[in-house]
Amino acid sequence: MKITGQTQYIKETNQDKFLNGSTGLPAGEFTVRVKNIEYNDRENRYFTIVFGNDEGKQYKHNQFVPPYKYDFQEKQLIELVTRLGVNLNLPSLDFDTNELIEKPCHLILKWKFNENEGKYFSDFSYIKPYKNGDGVVNKPIPKDEKMKAEENGESQPKASLNDEDNPFANANGPIDISSDDLPF
């Protein structure tokens, strides 16, 4: 798929400035390659990048394409392709998604709670560029006890109004506050 467009919000022409800044795989850091690009949107509003590691585990990331309504969408695309080693001729956003295939990178994923399902899932955070000589990174971050409890429907007990730490817990009746102490 050929991506075409012009930046509308980004005025920077030095693409290197975007190097810094921003399912199967759990949260953590992993050395991966772009295994495939999927086109599953009839209107060509986005494409899906399939990242895979040496263990055969995958993570899919949907990436919107130009034109954009917001500046952060434009910046996200520039940072993504820059960190994957694709050179753009900014302000032009033209590139072929086939250039992304087999590009190595370090994928950073974080845990995010899905309230509808009551479960945590791994969510795309950012990509660190892969440099020659970098070793393979495989650092999953396991769910902690609090996350597991939250998934099992166990919530933390909330503080009671009768708690000892509540300064108004033992007040019987109205609370006497001088009008001089009120800010209004």
Side-chain angles (χ1 to χ4, degrees):
M1 172 182 197
K2 296 247 186 223
I3 305 298
T4 59
Q6 289 285 321
T7 61
Q8 297 174 5
Y9 306 98
I10 306 294
K11 302 302 177 204
E12 179 65 54
T13 56
N14 180 2
Q15 187 179 349
D16 289 338
K17 292 222 176 201
F18 294 91
L19 278 171
N20 303 319
S22 287
T23 57
L25 291 172
E29 181 177 349
F30 305 92
T31 301
V32 296
R33 287 189 180 277
V34 176
K35 295 295 185 184
N36 194 14
I37 303 293
E38 296 176 355
Y39 311 104
N40 44 12
D41 181 47
R42 284 183 277 165
E43 288 84 30
N44 289 328
R45 294 172 295 178
Y46 68 91
F47 60 94
T48 302
I49 302 172
V50 180
F51 296 99
N53 69 0
D54 292 341
E55 298 173 352
K57 294 182 180 177
Q58 294 183 343
Y59 181 82
K60 293 183 178 185
H61 171 69
N62 293 330
Q63 179 62 51
F64 287 99
V65 298
Y68 295 117
K69 290 183 181 178
Y70 306 104
D71 61 341
F72 71 88
Q73 294 171 316
E74 196 171 87
K75 183 177 177 187
Q76 182 188 37
L77 176 72
I78 295 169
E79 286 182 1
L80 179 83
V81 299
T82 300
R83 292 173 184 195
L84 286 172
V86 173
N87 291 322
L88 297 173
N89 187 16
L90 293 175
S92 171
L93 296 175
D94 299 350
F95 74 99
D96 189 337
T97 55
N98 288 336
E99 294 177 59
L100 300 175
I101 303 289
E102 290 301 313
K103 294 282 187 175
C105 66
H106 299 290
L107 185 63
I108 312 299
L109 304 172
K110 62 183 177 187
W111 287 118
K112 186 171 183 180
F113 189 70
N114 180 335
E115 292 190 23
N116 293 335
E117 295 181 15
K119 294 183 179 180
Y120 279 90
F121 65 97
S122 54
D123 189 30
F124 178 83
S125 185
Y126 65 97
I127 288 176
K128 287 179 20 183
Y130 183 87
K131 298 178 184 129
N132 287 339
D134 281 356
V136 174
V137 178
N138 189 16
K139 295 181 186 174
I141 299 173
K143 294 178 188 173
D144 61 23
E145 294 304 317
K146 180 182 173 194
M147 292 173 162
K148 290 176 186 176
E150 196 171 5
E151 285 184 333
N152 292 329
E154 302 167 16
S155 61
Q156 300 293 329
K158 294 185 179 178
S160 167
L161 290 177
N162 296 327
D163 193 352
E164 291 177 13
D165 294 334
N166 183 350
F168 304 109
N170 295 325
N172 294 328
I175 300 170
D176 292 327
I177 299 177
S178 161
S179 60
D180 295 335
D181 293 336
L182 295 175
F184 45 89

